[in-house]
Amino acid sequence: MNELLTSLIPRPGAITDGLGTFRFEEGTSLDAGPGLAGVAGWLRATLGGATGWGLSPGSGGIRLRISPGLPGEGYELDVAPTGITVAGGSAAGVFYGAQTLRQLLPPATLRRARIDGGPWRLPAVRIVDAPRFAWRGVLLDVARHFMPVADVLRFIDLAAFHKLNVLHLHLTDDQGWRLEVPGRPRLTSVGSWRPSTMLGSRSHEIYDGRPHGGIYTDDDLREIVAYAADRHMIVVPEVDMPGHMQAAIAAYPELGHGYSGPVRSAWGISSHVLNVGPAAMEFCRAVLDHLCDIFPSELIGIGGDECPTVEWQDSPVARERIRAENLAGPHELQPWFTAQLAEHLAARGRRLFGWDEILAGGAPPGAVVAAWRGVEPTRYAARAGHDVVACPDIATYLDYRQSDNGDEPTPVGTRLTLADVYAFDPVPEGLTEAEVGHILGGQANVWTEHLESARRVDYQVFPRLCAFAEAVWGPPARDFDEFSARLLAHLARLDALGVNYRPMTGPRPWDARPDAPGNPRTLAERLAELHEMTADLRGPIA
């Protein structure tokens, strides 16, 4: 088999060698069928810079077609000496077929400007392919470290190149608020920046003494949504609440319990949470309404994770809410809060998306769970009848260290190697067929406490995201050695795309961050923590 066909990532479902080659040259035309103008425009733009060719309309070159008999995101790619046909079950399927076509071309065609004039010969082949999971996601945290719009768009391109289809955009946290909300100007003038940033693990208490901030205007977010949609990715926004809210409370202290300080500079979890009084609930609904106005996603993220209840114990506002709603105590405030937001989103035709802590006390009907605290929450959510996205930290958190090498930059979390990520399967053992049907897919999470730039994001994410993409696209039976051989050729594509990936040989001298020391953990330590954290999920299904 031609070596080009043995370097595709994610690996296609079926590859059949053909006879001869197709000559891709200046006169190659592009014929797009109905409903495919967007894919055709994207393909012309993405190949035009590197080739200098316009792919003018016409027959006899590349044909794009929708074939309703194929799975929605599935495609068939036929390369013959007389032409290329990309057929998909929808425009998304055609787009994924076109991404595979890009991998059949030399890496030079992935660059933004012409360095090789061609022409190029593509091996004759038939590829039939479709994804295993409908949700192939990646979270990007732009709250801890702000990422300019251009870098977010580049990240979308890289994710789409690997056939991922969901960008979970984490827009707010204790350390920064990144979006405008009508009538709330202090969210951006105050909540969007912090006076200093912690360097490395919080256990070392080192700060850089330099303010950090940034915001996205409404038009910035609309651009991100539109750019992703052109690449058949859905952007699911998240504003974390009722915890992880110190940035909002710094801007509007009346939302909290008396805190009147700055946005949090330290990593970790702030004890300053929403007071869930009438003003705070009105604020939350206004934020969700604005998210619904900007983001067309059916799912709207409300976080719901890691919410300390310390302030609720003695808060007059919280006590009044407990009395008014006839709740048993502060421990029932968050389930009540989550149910209120789910009801509000349902009135807007949307569904609530939250971390697996929303399972405590029973997640609202229709809510979708992001299961991060190990494997057990995925199993619990599916058995409880909730749709769930599997993203266990010990398998999919790409900020976690990649080896035991002391030069890994800011090594935190458990060791999560390329092989570990490749072994990830969103479906845990022990579920019935009906329960498995609730697992929408998987998601890799890119938390940016220690990733201060796109360059650092690249290093942590690639090539592990390549492994993750194959884990959620292809069948559960996989061969890491075979993948590793393909990856060596794929790295030339990442080079052409300008990705600062971690070398297979390990970190380079300039990758180290001695100024930002980490706090590595063992897997045994983390599993013990997760066992304790999810104790409430080992009782009867709520």
Side-chain angles (χ1 to χ4, degrees):
M1 183 175 289
N2 186 291
E3 69 177 72
L4 271 176
L5 304 179
T6 59
S7 67
L8 301 176
I9 292 179
R11 190 182 193 282
I15 305 174
T16 305
D17 266 332
L19 297 175
T21 60
F22 173 79
R23 182 181 170 93
F24 183 63
E25 56 191 350
E26 185 170 2
T28 298
S29 60
L30 178 61
D31 175 17
L36 294 173
V39 177
W42 164 82
L43 187 59
R44 287 189 175 101
T46 198
L47 290 178
T51 64
W53 307 335
L55 295 178
S56 300
S59 58
I62 301 172
R63 298 173 69 249
L64 307 179
R65 294 291 185 270
I66 291 177
S67 178
L70 294 174
E73 291 188 296
Y75 67 90
E76 294 177 351
L77 171 59
D78 287 287
V79 179
T82 55
I84 297 173
T85 299
V86 183
S90 67
V94 176
F95 176 79
Y96 298 131
Q99 290 284 23
T100 298
L101 175 61
R102 293 179 72 200
Q103 291 196 20
L104 292 178
L105 289 164
T109 63
L110 299 173
R111 294 186 178 272
R112 298 189 181 189
R114 186 173 183 174
I115 63 169
D116 185 341
W120 299 284
R121 291 195 174 274
L122 280 70
V125 66
R126 175 172 172 77
I127 296 175
V128 180
D129 200 12
R132 179 185 176 199
F133 292 105
W135 186 296
R136 304 179 304 281
V138 58
L139 174 144
L140 181 61
D141 169 14
V142 295
R144 269 56 173 266
H145 276 103
F146 177 75
M147 182 175 281
V149 172
D151 289 335
V152 176
L153 302 185
R154 174 179 173 272
F155 188 84
I156 289 170
D157 273 327
L158 293 173
F161 185 65
H162 293 87
K163 300 184 175 70
L164 301 184
N165 67 349
V166 178
L167 175 66
H168 177 176
L169 197 58
H170 184 75
L171 287 164
T172 70
D173 217 296
D174 293 317
Q175 295 82 11
W177 183 281
R178 303 290 174 230
L179 72 154
E180 299 175 312
V181 175
R184 298 282 182 169
R186 288 177 60 83
L187 288 174
T188 50
S189 65
V190 175
S192 67
W193 69 278
R194 58 181 178 263
S196 185
T197 295
M198 185 169 267
L199 292 175
S201 168
R202 63 181 179 272
S203 62
H204 304 287
E205 297 188 355
I206 304 171
Y207 294 86
D208 66 4
R210 185 177 64 189
H212 176 85
I215 63 166
Y216 301 109
T217 67
D218 290 353
D219 283 348
D220 289 338
L221 294 175
R222 291 188 180 101
E223 180 183 6
I224 290 169
V225 168
Y227 193 87
D230 286 344
R231 287 143 185 81
H232 296 274
M233 291 188 73
I234 296 168
V235 181
V236 176
E238 179 188 333
V239 170
D240 213 337
M241 53 179 79
H244 287 282
M245 266 280 172
Q246 184 170 322
I249 294 168
Y252 292 98
E254 64 270 22
L255 300 175
H257 301 84
Y259 177 76
S260 58
V263 173
R264 185 177 174 92
S265 292
W267 305 135
I269 304 166
S270 171
S271 62
H272 302 303
V273 303
L274 294 178
N275 61 32
V276 299
M281 296 307 296
E282 180 184 355
F283 168 79
C284 293
R285 294 185 182 104
V287 170
L288 295 182
D289 283 339
H290 193 55
L291 291 178
C292 290
D293 290 342
I294 297 238
F295 295 89
S297 165
E298 179 190 11
L299 300 185
I300 301 293
I302 60 96
D305 60 312
E306 300 175 326
C307 181
T309 61
V310 176
E311 289 186 329
W312 289 344
Q313 304 292 334
D314 300 315
S315 164
V317 178
R319 285 202 302 270
E320 173 56 25
R321 178 65 74 187
I322 291 168
R323 186 201 63 77
E325 303 299 335
N326 197 28
L327 304 177
H331 65 284
E332 290 193 353
L333 274 175
Q334 187 167 350
W336 172 86
F337 174 87
T338 304
Q340 296 300 303
L341 299 190
E343 182 180 337
H344 185 76
L345 287 171
R348 294 289 305 257
R350 311 298 181 93
R351 299 170 71 188
L352 182 145
F353 181 51
W355 299 106
D356 60 54
E357 284 93 335
I358 70 171
L359 292 168
V368 177
V369 177
W372 73 277
R373 293 179 296 169
V375 175
E376 187 55 38
T378 299
R379 187 181 289 113
Y380 183 96
R383 286 175 172 165
H386 295 293
D387 288 345
V388 57
V389 176
C391 50
D393 69 323
I394 54 176
T396 68
Y397 272 33
L398 301 187
D399 57 316
Y400 282 11
R401 61 193 172 97
Q402 304 188 56
S403 75
D404 291 327
N405 189 317
D407 288 331
E408 293 288 1
T410 315
V412 297
T414 62
R415 184 182 62 196
L416 189 58
T417 67
L418 183 70
D420 294 330
V421 175
Y422 192 72
F424 169 62
D425 191 324
V427 180
E429 296 178 351
L431 297 180
T432 66
E433 183 177 350
E435 291 165 348
V436 169
H438 284 293
I439 299 177
L440 304 181
Q443 179 172 288
N445 292 340
V446 184
W447 301 105
T448 62
E449 286 96 332
H450 313 298
L451 313 183
E452 73 285 349
S453 65
R455 180 176 180 175
R456 281 285 291 115
V457 169
D458 279 4
Y459 179 91
Q460 290 298 126
V461 170
F462 294 100
R464 290 188 294 181
L465 193 68
C466 308
F468 172 82
E470 187 153 312
V472 293
W473 178 274
R478 298 185 294 276
D479 184 331
F480 179 69
D481 291 337
E482 188 269 342
F483 166 78
S484 298
R486 280 183 287 118
L487 181 61
L488 290 176
H490 189 69
L491 294 180
R493 301 186 185 112
L494 298 186
D495 285 328
L497 290 166
V499 178
N500 181 52
Y501 59 86
R502 178 187 184 274
M504 301 293 284
T505 53
R508 300 154 297 202
W510 58 87
D511 292 319
R513 286 294 308 275
D515 60 324
N519 182 29
R521 310 295 304 283
T522 68
L523 181 59
E525 289 172 335
R526 183 57 180 163
L527 288 174
E529 287 178 347
L530 293 171
H531 184 77
E532 183 177 348
M533 291 167 66
T534 57
D536 57 325
L537 303 185
R538 287 191 289 278
I541 299 294

